[in-house]
Amino acid sequence: MALPFAVLISGRGSNMLALEQATRDGRIDGRIALVVSDRAGAAGLASARGLGLPAAVIELRGMDRAAHGRLVSDAVEKSGAGFIALAGYMRILDAAFVRRWQGRLLNIHPSLLPLYRGLHTHRRVLESGDRQHGCTVHFVVEELDAGPAVIQGRLAVRPGEAESALSARVQRLEHIIYPQAVGWFADGRLEYKDGAALFDGRPRPPAIVEETG
Ligand code: GRF
């Protein structure tokens, strides 16, 4: 049966749109039951509504993180979703939220984790002179950007490349690997157990997708 899932966003929502497209063309056996944004002005929210997806704004508004997390969890559960994809969600999740959704919570991060946890990854990669960069889908654990990786998109940094150009190339990879990972989860091929990502019941290193073209 198609997996109902929620997507949490704060901004543009291009990954949310890539996931939605993949539910439509059969790469994900699932459906987006709810889009949650913590920002009323998020462009992704308007896109979601334009597509007729159920969408909710749950702003922080002076609440503590745990109270906000409970509101988000409750809204997701009410929607019938049993799985959450974080897609550019800019709030750090509280421990209770992570525990409640452990094993049913994926995130996409714009670096080759464990390299460059946190923000401004493209800039930091360029400043370090790294030759490779990319993005990672991982299960979420309490420690930020530290959960087991499921799949990575990888590319070669071009000499003299601008941050904006690098970021756009990484995003194109994000739009490939995130639907792939959620598709695996929906098919029951991917699970989280004791801190590890299991694929077909066995631990394995993250799958790698190289940039083409
Ligand atoms: C992506 O680069 C993702 O890796 C990061 O936030 C960005 C979200 O972009 N977590 P979008 O809102 O999906 O366009």
Side-chain angles (χ1 to χ4, degrees), residues 132-150:
Q132 284 198 325
H133 185 35
C135 44
T136 304
V137 177
H138 63 94
F139 279 107
V140 175
V141 297
E142 283 182 39
E143 194 183 342
L144 188 67
D145 300 332
V150 170

Side-chain angles (χ1 to χ4, degrees), residues 11-16 87-89 107-110 122 171 174-175:
R12 189 169 31 169
S14 69
N15 280 285
M16 177 270 296
Y89 189 64
N107 181 43
I108 184 142
H109 182 77
H122 310 304
Q171 276 234 311
E174 292 182 3
H175 300 160

